Amino acid sequence: MRVLQRRTWVAAMVAGLSAPLGWAAPSTVLVQHAQGATAVPQRPQRVVVYDLATLDTMQALGMAVRGVPQAQLPPYLAGYVNARYTVAGSLFEPDYAALSQIRPDLIIVGGRSAAKYEALGKIAPTLDFSVRGDHLLQDMARNITQLAQLSGQPAQGEALLARLEREVGVVRHLAAQAEPGLLLMAVNERILPNAPGSRFGFLFDVLGARSALRAQDLPARGTVYDFDAVARLDPAWIYVIDRNAATGSAPGGGALIPSQQVFDNAQVRGTQAGRKGQVVFLDPKGWYLLGSAGPTALLGNLAQLQQVYRAAGLR
C-alpha cells in the first residue's frame, strides 16, 4: 500500500467514496462498484451473494443475506451452511431456479462470478465487487464503505477500515526487514511461482515483502518449475499457498497431497528458508479462495505474517 501524502488511506477512501452513495430515488441509493454505479434499495433484505470476500464483509457488518454459493468456506463463514440460507448456485454459475424463488432485491458478484454481471442485472440490481490485485486495499475500501453506508452504519465501516490500515502498516514494517522470499502456489506436487504483479503478488505489491523472483524471471507459461529451481534460487523465505487444501479437491480428481508433505524434501531443507525454519504455509482459504479481499480473511492473513516475522526476530 503506497503511503498517501496528506490523508491516511482510510480518510482518503471514505472521503472519495461516501459522496457518490447518494439518493437515486426516494427508496434507493446509488452504489459505486467495479462496473459503474447501480441504484439499489436502501437496506436490502433479500441479498444473494456470489463472492466470498463480499460475504466476509457482510458478515463483519452484520448485514442480512438470503442466498449464498455452494463453496468451500473458511470456519468463520461456516454458519452460512444452514437451511436458512438458500444455495443459489456456485461461485461461477448462478442457479436461476433458486433465484426465482428468492426474488432478490440485490445480487452481488465478484471475481469468479463477475462474468455473470450482465445476465444477473436483468433479474435484480447487481453490483460487481471484484478487486484488482494491485489496488486491492483501495477496492476493498470501496466495497466496505459502500456496504456500510447501504446498511446505514458508516461508522462501523470506517472503524473496520481503520483497523485494516493499522494491521497492514504493521506487516509492511516487518516485511520490509525480511530477506527476499519465494511465493509458490502448490497444486499437489506441481509448484507455480509468483512474483510482483502476478496473481498473488499482493504479498509483494501491497504488503511490501521482497521477492526473490522478478516478474521477468518467471518461467514461460506451460514450463515446469521444480524444486531444483527452488534450491538454485536459495530464498530466505518460502511462502506456500496450497490450492487443493483451499478447494478440497485436486484437479481431475484423485488424492490430495498436503503441501507440508510435498515440501518436506532435501532441496527445500537445503535452502536458507529450510535451514531457518522460514517455510510458511499460508492460510489456503484466506489466500486462494478469498484472495485476502474480505476483511476477516485479510486480518487473519496479516496476523499469520506478523507471527512468523516476529518469530524470526523482526521487530
Side-chain angles (χ1 to χ4, degrees), residues 281-297:
F281 296 94
L282 299 169
D283 177 70
K285 288 183 168 60
W287 279 87
Y288 185 83
L289 282 185
L290 283 98
S292 299
T296 307

Side-chain angles (χ1 to χ4, degrees), residues 204-229:
F204 310 114
D205 301 326
V206 179
L207 298 184
R210 291 188 288 161
S211 178
L213 272 183
R214 300 171 301 171
Q216 57 265 40
D217 297 329
L218 290 175
R221 188 176 181 86
T223 303
V224 173
Y225 194 79
D226 58 23
F227 285 108
D228 287 336

Side-chain angles (χ1 to χ4, degrees), residues 172-184:
R172 285 182 59 85
H173 172 75
L174 297 171
Q177 303 172 57
E179 295 177 90
L182 175 63
L183 174 60
L184 295 165

Side-chain angles (χ1 to χ4, degrees), residues 31-263:
V31 178
Q32 303 290 325
H33 57 95
Q35 298 200 43
T38 299
V40 174
Q42 178 78 36
R43 293 185 175 86
Q45 296 300 309
R46 299 188 307 280
V47 184
V48 176
V49 180
Y50 289 103
D51 176 56
L52 296 185
T54 299
L55 195 61
D56 180 329
T57 303
M58 294 184 71
Q59 176 174 270
L61 295 172
M63 295 181 67
V65 176
R66 182 68 63 85
V68 297
Q70 176 71 46
Q72 290 285 323
L73 297 174
Y76 66 87
L77 293 179
Y80 289 105
V81 184
N82 186 295
R84 64 185 292 195
Y85 302 104
T86 301
V87 176
S90 70
L91 291 172
F92 299 91
E93 190 65 40
D95 182 335
Y96 293 101
L99 287 173
S100 69
Q101 293 179 350
I102 297 171
R103 293 180 295 109
D105 51 9
L106 175 62
I107 301 172
I108 303 177
V109 298
R112 298 170 177 88
S113 56
K116 301 299 179 180
Y117 169 78
E118 186 174 347
L120 291 170
K122 297 175 182 177
I123 297 172
T126 300
L127 306 175
D128 179 1
F129 278 158
S130 297
V131 299
R132 299 161 294 171
D134 56 345
H135 291 80
L136 187 140
L137 297 179
Q138 292 92 329
D139 290 347
M140 279 185 69
R142 175 201 64 204
N143 297 346
I144 292 170
T145 299
Q146 300 288 266
L147 286 171
Q149 293 196 36
L150 184 62
S151 62
Q153 44 191 347
Q156 188 173 342
E158 290 180 28
L160 182 57
L161 288 172
R163 183 183 176 194
L164 291 170
E165 182 185 29
R166 287 195 304 272
E167 298 304 318
V168 167
V170 171
V171 169
R172 285 182 59 85
H173 172 75
L174 297 171
Q177 303 172 57
E179 295 177 90
L182 175 63
L183 174 60
L184 295 165
M185 184 174 76
V187 185
N188 274 357
E189 295 176 321
R190 184 183 176 201
I191 54 175
L192 306 170
N194 281 252
S198 59
R199 179 176 180 182
F200 298 105
F202 167 74
L203 177 67
F204 310 114
D205 301 326
V206 179
L207 298 184
R210 291 188 288 161
S211 178
L213 272 183
R214 300 171 301 171
Q216 57 265 40
D217 297 329
L218 290 175
R221 188 176 181 86
T223 303
V224 173
Y225 194 79
D226 58 23
F227 285 108
D228 287 336
V230 174
R232 288 192 298 272
L233 190 63
D234 192 24
W237 290 85
I238 296 175
Y239 307 94
V240 182
I241 300 172
D242 188 333
R243 179 264 182 205
N244 293 349
T247 62
S249 64
L256 275 64
I257 305 175
S259 286
Q260 288 84 347
Q261 178 180 330
V262 173
F263 280 73

